[in-house]
């Protein structure tokens, strides 16, 4: 069985946890899994992210439609964050003919998994209310995001139900992924008397921390801050952020099971995963009770978010030791204090000598023990005993810092190895050999620094031009150019390369031995997609993946350019000979353009000079004009040069009809450049004749069945008897008008709406 998982990128903690949860379930049940990491739909990438062609990732969403997939898990909360209603509908409709499960979308009859945004948030808000908070402000998420909407509605309903003060300045839209310091600053300045700032995620809470400090407020001391998602940001921030925990690992598990049900044609279900409030030091007026329910940590709470702990021998050992320490802290009255502290020290030594320490979130573990410390101190009346407890926890935090020092170098070493690997990869993608096939193997032989041991590079027969907002059509055939198998690279013989796209995940080379999850990437440069890369990239390579793919696409583009340049160099003498022949032929050509039947540049200048020299009539004027085709390159690139020729011929025919009506003549003076001369009554308005020519093209485009419009921009000049301008001067005036017209008319795409 093969399933696909469509997610929004692989860098955010949310996506990473979701991927690894589904991967874990797939591996456990011997199901093959392909991750399809697309980007935000509906986002202006050039404006918002300074990444003009980042939208090319969205082309691979169409691979989920291939018949090789038995079902899909489709994330929507992030993918559709910036999408309008039309885009949302198209995206949801794409996958209706294959068994599927949506994450965070429950507006149709499909199976879906969503997070209960309300329960944990209501719990947090009520806790604050019970502890005296009366003035609330909220820093919301991206406006169109479903989670943002639900969290805002929950917040506003709570304020209304408790009859608390609320105005338009009590809420400020932010952005889940993009910097929004100015918005945070505005919210803080508008609510300097707030008791608590509620944030739609932990990323936004960190912005509020900065804004508060900038304005002389101390988070956790002067004002409370609550985040959402309980990400690693919470414990990495001081003071630790209280947050709403959403179990993304559970979302992945449930979505996997629902997909299995959908594949088995069982009735659709909608499952809501609960959330809960996690109390930390960002609450300034928190009350410590002997049995506070928010302090009941479970062992899995101490794991790093991306860790699957089932059947992990290291984690089982750590779990046992932590459980024993927790019991000791909970039963401090059963033995003498000195004996108890000594026993705990011994257990801590045992804990910190375990393997797998990098799998534990030590900051979160420290927070949990701090809760025990506060409870313990409050239960003691003897100052001497209180000092012993304080000394113990100081020593404990020193031990935690020692562990962090032990764990961090390993990560730094991994980063160092990745940097070296990336440098090597850059060199390999910019150093080419004459044999194009050998270059493909060079490209993927140096990808091990990303944890890739198996990779499959597929190249299309022809590069595909992809424009934002389109639904990409997966080519029927691809060519497997190079394979990395268990770290060893191999070239594929030419007669074995070509295959149908539906087999890219299952063929003689992709055998799924040694891995159960693959990831799909587009290989692109600018708006040109050259093919795809399928690989088993590991978690440690996720953050470098975009840079890696950009460089791979740039390398293939440069290789193609070098091949073309080499072909030209190899045929230099022949090219020079042909160029000389072409120049001789051009010099001897008649005054007619062979493609359109109009005058060419030479013929146009000769006829126009003669007309102006002999122009005798005081009651007539001459209009001299340019007519340039708009977006000929787009037609050639998207639909082929035959269509480009068709467009040029059509312009020639329409221009001929136009000049014939006005006793004039036309010419094609360049690739997409046309010129014309017509005779009009003296005192005529140029706008009248300009509109007449534009209208001819509008009528033609309405009747034409081509998927694009043939469009021109017109620049003209009214030449009258006695005018002292030369022909070149008149054409210069027409060219200035042409520039103005182009700026207006090229704002509209020539592609017809389907």
């Amino acid at each position: 069985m093969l399933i696909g998982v469509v997610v929004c990128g692989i860098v955010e903690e949310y996506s990473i946890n979701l991927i690894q949860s589904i991967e874990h379930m797939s591996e456990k049940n011997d199901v093959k899994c392909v991750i399809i990491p697309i980007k935000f739909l509906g986002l202006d990438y050039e404006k918002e992210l300074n990444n003009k062609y980042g939208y090319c990732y969205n082309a691979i969403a169409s691979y989920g439609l291939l018949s090789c997939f038995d079902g899909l898990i489709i994330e929507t909360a992030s993918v559709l964050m910036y999408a309008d209603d039309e885009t949302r509908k198209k995206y949801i409709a794409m996958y209706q003919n294959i068994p599927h499960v949506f994450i965070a979308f429950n507006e149709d009859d499909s199976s879906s998994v969503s997070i209960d945004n309300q329960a944990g948030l209501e719990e947090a808000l009520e806790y604050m209310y019970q502890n005296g908070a009366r003035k609330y402000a909220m820093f919301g998420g991206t406006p169109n995001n479903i989670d943002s909407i639900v969290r805002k509605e929950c917040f506003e309903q709570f304020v209304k139900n408790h009859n608390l003060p609320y105005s338009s300045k009590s809420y400020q839209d932010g952005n889940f992924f993009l910097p929004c310091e100015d918005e945070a600053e505005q919210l803080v300045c508008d609510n300097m008397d707030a008791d608590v700032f509620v944030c739609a995620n932990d990323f936004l809470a960190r912005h509020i921390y900065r804004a508060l400090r900038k304005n002389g407020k101390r988070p956790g001391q002067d004002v409370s801050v609550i985040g959402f998602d309980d990400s690693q940001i919470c414990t990495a921030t001081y003071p630790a952020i209280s947050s709403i925990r959403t179990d993304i690992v559970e979302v992945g598990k449930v979505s996997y099971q629902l997909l299995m049900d959908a594949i088995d044609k069982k009735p659709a279900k909608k499952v809501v995963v609960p959330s809960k409030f996690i109390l930390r030091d960002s609450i300034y007026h928190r009350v410590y009770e002997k049995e506070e329910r928010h302090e009941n940590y479970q062992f899995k709470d101490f794991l790093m978010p991306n860790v699957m702990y089932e059947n992990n021998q290291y984690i089982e050992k750590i779990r046992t030791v932590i459980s024993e320490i927790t019991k000791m802290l909970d039963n401090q009255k059963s033995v003498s204090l000195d004996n108890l502290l000594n026993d705990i020290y011994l257990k801590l030594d045992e804990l910190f000598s375990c393997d797998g320490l990098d799998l534990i979130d030590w900051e979160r573990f420290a927070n949990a023990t701090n809760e025990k410390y506060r409870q313990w101190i409050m239960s003691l009346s003897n100052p001497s005993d209180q000092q012993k407890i304080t000394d113990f926890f100081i020593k404990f935090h020193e031990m935690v810092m020692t562990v962090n020092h032990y764990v961090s170098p390993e990560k730094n070493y991994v980063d160092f190895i990745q940097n070296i690997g990336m440098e090597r990869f850059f060199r390999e993608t910019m150093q080419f050999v004459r044999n194009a096939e050998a270059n493909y193997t060079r490209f993927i032989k140096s990808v091990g620094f990303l944890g890739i041991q198996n990779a499959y590079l597929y190249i299309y027969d022809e590069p595909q031009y992809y424009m934002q907002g389109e639904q990409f059509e997966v080519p029927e055939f691809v060519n497997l150019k190079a394979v990395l198998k268990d770290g060893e690279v191999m070239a594929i013989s030419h007669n074995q390369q070509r295959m149908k796209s539906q087999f890219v995940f299952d063929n003689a080379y992709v055998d799924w031995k040694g891995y159960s999850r693959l990831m799909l990437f587009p290989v692109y440069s600018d708006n040109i997609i050259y093919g795809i890369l399928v690989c088993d990239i590991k978690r440690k390579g996720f953050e470098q993946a975009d840079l890696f793919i950009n460089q791979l696409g740039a390398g293939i583009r440069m290789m193609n350019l070098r091949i073309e340049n080499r072909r030209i160099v190899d045929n230099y003498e022949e090219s020079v000979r042909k160029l000389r022949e072409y120049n001789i032929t051009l010099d001897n050509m008649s005054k007619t353009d062979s493609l359109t039947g109009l005058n060419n540049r030479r013929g146009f200048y000769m006829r126009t000079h003669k007309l102006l020299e002999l122009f005798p009539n005081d009651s007539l004027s001459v209009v001299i004009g340019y007519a340039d085709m708009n977006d000929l390159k787009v037609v050639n690139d998207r639909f082929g040069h035959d269509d480009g020729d068709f467009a040029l011929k059509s312009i020639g025919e329409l221009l001929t009809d136009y000049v014939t009506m006005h006793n004039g003549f036309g010419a094609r003076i360049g690739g997409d450049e046309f010129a014309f001369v017509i005779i009009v009554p003296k005192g005529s308005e140029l706008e009248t004749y300009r509109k007449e020519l534009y209208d001819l093209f509008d009528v033609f485009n309405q009747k034409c069945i081509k998927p694009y419009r043939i469009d021109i921009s017109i620049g003209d000049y009214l030449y009258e008897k006695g005018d002292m301008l030369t022909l070149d001067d008149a054409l210069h005036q027409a060219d200035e008008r042409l520039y103005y017209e182009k700026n207006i008319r090229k704002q509209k795409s020539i592609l017809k709406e389907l």
Side-chain angles (χ1 to χ4, degrees):
M1 181 182 293
L2 177 66
I3 66 171
V5 182
V6 185
V7 296
C8 187
I10 56 172
V11 176
E12 296 299 328
E13 187 176 339
Y14 166 76
S15 294
I16 293 170
N17 293 344
L18 185 63
I19 289 169
Q20 295 196 324
S21 176
I22 297 172
E23 176 186 352
H24 175 72
M25 294 297 293
S26 300
E27 184 176 10
K28 183 176 169 182
N29 293 280
D30 197 26
V31 171
K32 304 168 188 173
C33 177
V34 174
I35 308 299
I36 305 175
I38 65 174
K39 301 290 187 182
F40 302 115
L41 297 178
L43 179 67
D44 186 337
Y45 279 82
E46 183 174 20
K47 178 181 178 182
E48 299 294 342
L49 298 179
N50 196 29
N51 181 13
K52 185 175 182 180
Y53 300 106
Y55 68 83
C56 285
Y57 267 87
N58 295 332
I60 61 174
S62 296
Y63 276 83
L65 304 177
L66 294 178
S67 60
C68 57
F69 285 108
D70 294 288
L72 298 174
I73 296 173
I74 306 154
E75 195 279 334
T76 64
S78 298
V79 170
L80 298 177
M81 185 174 297
Y82 301 96
D84 56 26
D85 288 342
E86 182 180 357
T87 302
R88 288 169 62 88
K89 290 177 182 178
K90 287 182 179 179
Y91 180 67
I92 296 302
M94 272 181 64
Y95 303 112
Q96 292 302 317
N97 294 325
I98 183 173
H100 63 275
V101 173
F102 288 122
I103 295 177
F105 182 87
N106 54 13
E107 298 175 19
D108 66 0
D109 296 331
S110 305
S111 290
S112 66
V113 185
S114 56
I115 293 172
D116 183 355
N117 285 281
Q118 294 181 312
L121 182 54
E122 289 173 350
E123 185 182 4
L125 296 172
E126 186 63 35
Y127 175 84
M128 295 304 306
Y129 184 82
Q130 294 300 324
N131 283 277
R134 293 296 182 268
K135 179 67 186 297
Y136 293 72
M138 183 171 188
F139 197 17
T142 309
N144 292 332
N145 179 263
I146 185 62
D147 288 331
S148 295
I149 294 170
V150 174
R151 293 169 191 179
K152 179 183 180 182
E153 290 175 348
C154 179
F155 173 78
E156 291 180 335
Q157 188 62 48
F158 175 86
V159 172
K160 180 180 179 181
N161 291 345
H162 289 71
N163 197 28
L164 298 174
Y166 185 80
S167 69
S168 60
K169 293 185 177 181
S170 300
Y171 182 90
Q172 173 69 52
D173 281 325
N175 192 297
F176 279 146
F177 297 103
L178 304 181
C180 44
E181 290 90 348
D182 293 341
E183 291 84 350
E185 172 82 9
Q186 186 64 54
L187 182 66
V188 168
C189 290
D190 289 340
N191 297 272
M192 289 297 289
D193 59 342
D195 296 315
V196 57
F197 285 88
V198 180
C199 304
N201 75 357
D202 302 324
F203 175 75
L204 297 171
R206 192 161 56 179
H207 284 315
I208 291 294
Y209 267 42
R210 296 192 187 106
L212 286 170
R213 287 171 175 144
K214 184 177 179 181
N215 287 276
K217 292 280 188 177
R218 296 170 299 175
Q221 297 183 54
D222 301 320
V223 63
S224 297
V225 180
I226 298 173
F228 209 111
D229 294 334
D230 195 31
S231 65
Q232 288 179 280
I233 291 174
C234 293
T235 53
T237 305
Y238 179 81
I241 301 171
S242 300
S243 188
I244 314 302
R245 178 169 297 168
T246 55
D247 194 342
I248 303 304
V249 172
E250 183 65 18
V251 170
K253 291 179 179 179
V254 173
S255 64
Y256 173 86
Q257 189 54 59
L258 288 181
L259 181 60
M260 295 301 105
D261 291 345
I263 293 172
D264 291 339
K265 299 183 178 180
K266 294 181 180 179
K269 296 180 182 178
K270 296 188 180 298
V271 178
V272 178
V273 176
S275 59
K276 65 178 180 178
F277 176 42
I278 304 300
L279 185 61
R280 296 194 180 91
D281 291 337
S282 64
I283 305 302
Y284 81 94
H285 59 319
R286 62 186 300 179
V287 177
Y288 302 112
E289 301 173 357
K290 292 185 178 180
E291 293 184 1
E292 188 172 299
R293 56 197 174 97
H294 303 296
E295 299 165 2
N296 294 330
Y297 285 85
Q298 298 179 13
F299 174 74
K300 68 177 183 179
D301 297 332
F302 304 139
L303 295 176
M304 299 300 285
N306 59 336
V307 173
M308 298 298 170
Y309 58 85
E310 290 91 342
N311 301 321
N312 187 310
Q313 59 179 339
Y314 299 145
I315 291 179
E316 290 300 326
K317 173 62 175 176
I318 295 173
R319 183 213 297 269
T320 301
V321 179
I322 286 181
S323 176
E324 293 172 351
I325 294 173
T326 302
K327 289 178 181 178
M328 291 178 179
L329 293 173
D330 287 337
N331 300 309
Q332 67 265 153
K333 294 182 179 180
S334 61
V335 295
S336 70
L337 182 59
D338 290 336
N339 290 338
L340 176 61
L341 292 178
N342 184 63
D343 290 342
I344 295 176
Y345 275 127
L346 292 176
K347 279 297 173 186
L348 287 172
D349 287 337
E350 182 181 352
L351 172 64
F352 294 143
S353 65
C354 290
D355 291 325
L357 295 179
D358 58 324
L359 305 177
I360 302 299
D361 185 339
W362 293 107
E363 292 287 345
R364 184 165 287 171
F365 180 63
N367 286 336
T369 54
N370 282 342
E371 302 291 349
K372 300 294 183 184
Y373 164 71
R374 293 184 179 103
Q375 292 178 14
W376 205 346
I377 285 290
M378 292 178 67
S379 69
L380 297 173
S381 57
N382 186 324
S384 176
D385 288 344
Q386 289 180 341
Q387 185 60 48
K388 288 180 181 179
I389 299 301
T390 301
D391 291 343
F392 162 75
F393 277 97
I394 291 174
K395 177 64 175 176
F396 165 76
H397 278 281
E398 290 177 352
M399 296 174 78
V400 169
M401 293 302 296
T402 301
V403 172
N404 281 335
H405 180 72
Y406 168 77
V407 173
S408 297
E410 181 177 352
K411 181 180 184 303
N412 293 336
Y413 177 73
V414 171
D415 291 341
F416 174 70
I417 294 299
Q418 283 192 347
N419 289 335
I420 293 177
M422 184 63 79
E423 291 178 5
R424 180 184 177 190
F425 176 71
F426 269 58
R427 289 196 302 270
E428 292 291 350
T429 52
M430 289 293 108
Q431 296 176 0
F432 306 98
V433 295
R434 290 188 63 121
N435 183 347
E437 301 296 319
N439 286 321
Y440 291 119
T441 59
R442 288 170 63 91
F443 291 157
I444 69 168
K445 77 176 183 179
S446 302
V447 298
F449 69 97
L450 294 175
I452 298 175
Q453 289 296 303
N454 297 276
Y456 311 90
L457 181 60
Y458 297 93
I459 300 298
Y460 300 143
D461 290 341
E462 296 291 338
Q464 304 293 304
Y465 288 84
Y466 180 59
M467 300 180 72
Q468 186 166 5
E470 289 184 327
Q471 181 172 332
F472 184 72
E473 293 187 13
V474 178
E476 183 179 2
F477 290 93
V478 292
N479 302 283
L480 179 58
K481 292 295 186 178
V483 168
L484 184 71
K485 183 64 177 172
D486 297 328
E488 297 294 328
V489 68
M490 65 178 77
I492 307 302
S493 62
H494 188 73
N495 62 354
Q496 294 182 336
Q497 291 182 4
R498 191 169 172 81
M499 67 181 68
K500 287 194 172 184
S501 289
Q502 69 189 63
F503 298 119
V504 295
F505 306 117
D506 192 3
N507 53 60
Y509 299 96
V510 186
D511 57 13
W512 295 89
K513 294 179 180 179
Y515 53 86
S516 60
R517 186 267 293 158
L518 291 172
M519 195 166 292
L520 170 66
F521 294 101
V523 178
Y524 73 97
S525 181
D526 291 350
N527 66 330
I528 305 173
I529 301 179
Y530 296 97
I532 58 173
L533 178 74
V534 179
C535 64
D536 64 346
I537 185 171
K538 302 300 187 294
R539 164 66 186 91
K540 68 178 183 179
F542 284 9
E543 292 182 2
Q544 300 272 20
D546 278 356
L547 180 61
F548 159 64
I549 288 299
N550 287 338
Q551 183 61 27
L552 178 60
I556 291 178
R557 181 177 186 176
M558 288 296 297
M559 182 191 73
N560 287 346
L561 290 174
R562 288 176 65 91
I563 290 173
E564 180 63 18
N565 288 340
R566 175 58 60 184
R567 185 189 64 81
I568 293 173
V569 170
D570 289 345
N571 295 285
Y572 175 73
E573 292 184 359
E574 179 67 14
S575 298
V576 170
R577 183 185 66 79
K578 288 184 177 180
L579 182 61
R580 288 173 178 168
E581 290 180 356
Y582 176 75
N583 288 333
I584 294 172
T585 302
L586 185 64
D587 188 58
N588 295 325
M589 281 176 61
S590 69
K591 297 186 286 285
T592 301
D593 174 63
S594 60
L595 180 65
T596 62
L598 298 173
N599 292 125
N600 60 14
R601 179 183 292 272
R602 179 184 177 196
F604 175 77
Y605 269 82
M606 291 179 63
R607 289 189 66 177
T608 307
H609 273 300
K610 187 173 182 180
L611 173 66
L612 297 181
E613 289 173 0
L614 302 177
F615 190 58
N617 199 323
D618 292 335
S619 63
L620 298 177
S621 298
V622 176
V623 176
I624 302 173
Y626 284 122
D628 280 12
M629 180 180 174
N630 296 329
D631 294 323
L632 173 61
K633 186 177 185 303
V634 173
V635 175
N636 281 332
D637 290 345
R638 294 291 306 281
F639 305 102
H641 287 277
D642 287 345
D643 273 62
D645 289 348
F646 168 80
L648 294 171
K649 289 178 182 178
S650 298
I651 293 174
E653 292 170 2
L654 291 170
L655 192 59
T656 298
D657 293 341
Y658 175 73
V659 298
T660 301
M661 291 188 293
H662 299 288
N663 300 312
F665 53 89
R668 180 185 176 211
I669 61 175
D672 58 357
E673 301 172 351
F674 295 78
F676 62 89
V677 170
I678 59 174
I679 311 299
V680 300
K682 188 177 180 68
S684 296
E685 295 290 337
L686 284 173
E687 180 65 31
T688 301
Y689 296 95
R690 198 181 303 135
K691 183 178 183 303
E692 183 180 345
L693 183 52
Y694 281 147
D695 288 344
L696 283 176
F697 280 81
D698 289 341
V699 172
F700 172 83
N701 284 316
Q702 290 174 5
K703 297 178 180 179
C704 182
I705 63 172
K706 294 289 186 180
Y708 52 84
R709 297 181 303 102
I710 298 175
D711 194 24
I712 61 169
S713 297
I714 302 169
D716 45 22
Y717 176 78
L718 188 65
Y719 189 99
E720 298 183 338
K721 186 173 176 65
D723 202 326
M724 300 303 293
L725 295 181
T726 65
L727 175 57
D728 286 339
D729 292 335
L731 288 171
H732 179 72
Q733 295 292 324
D735 191 50
E736 290 186 351
R737 178 67 194 190
L738 176 66
Y739 178 80
Y740 173 81
E741 290 285 316
K742 272 186 173 293
N743 285 337
I744 296 175
R745 297 184 68 84
K746 290 196 73 174
Q747 294 178 8
K748 184 176 181 181
S749 173
I750 66 167
L751 301 179
K752 293 180 179 179
E753 295 184 1
L754 301 179

